Amino acid sequence: MNAYDIIIKPVLSEKSYEGIANKKYTFKVVKSATKTDIKRAVETAFGVKVAKVNTVNVQGKFKRMGRNEGKTSDYKKAIVQLAEDSKAIEFFENLM
């Protein structure tokens, strides 16, 4: 797997925007990815140095459309902390 197979998309929420100032970025990743895989993928995709990776397995929410009930899919979320001497990720700087 290459870096773009592991990282699915960035998570853009109020809580994730607060972390951008401290070089903390949140990504939706493949469920089978380990912290080491995520670290390598972020470093190669964005050319930065990662200090720490935290992961969360997010359970899907129950949804209802009329009579039908269903559930959104489960996913894995990774919060990546960059090293102090590392540059920021350019994609997120345009959002601020």
Side-chain angles (χ1 to χ4, degrees):
M1 294 179 89
N2 66 14
Y4 300 104
D5 292 335
I6 293 173
I7 299 171
I8 297 172
K9 67 178 184 176
V11 176
L12 303 174
S13 64
E14 288 184 29
K15 191 168 185 177
S16 68
Y17 278 120
E18 290 175 6
I20 292 174
N22 299 328
K23 292 186 179 179
K24 274 190 179 183
Y25 302 99
T26 309
F27 298 98
K28 185 175 179 181
V29 295
V30 175
K31 287 186 77 167
S32 61
T34 62
K35 290 183 179 185
T36 310
D37 294 338
I38 296 166
K39 179 180 178 177
R40 258 190 257 124
V42 171
E43 286 178 345
T44 56
F46 299 107
V48 294
K49 187 175 179 187
V50 175
K52 188 165 104 173
V53 176
N54 294 329
T55 58
V56 179
N57 285 315
V58 180
Q59 299 295 319
K61 296 180 181 179
F62 286 99
K63 296 288 182 178
R64 194 171 161 180
M65 296 223 46
R67 294 183 206 185
N68 301 327
E69 291 184 0
K71 184 177 162 251
T72 60
S73 57
D74 301 339
Y75 64 94
K76 189 174 206 175
K77 184 167 67 169
I79 298 109
V80 178
Q81 173 71 48
L82 299 185
E84 298 241 348
D85 59 339
S86 178
K87 64 176 184 153
I89 297 176
E90 295 174 16
F91 172 77
F92 290 97
E93 286 187 3
N94 297 335
L95 299 175
M96 295 301 289

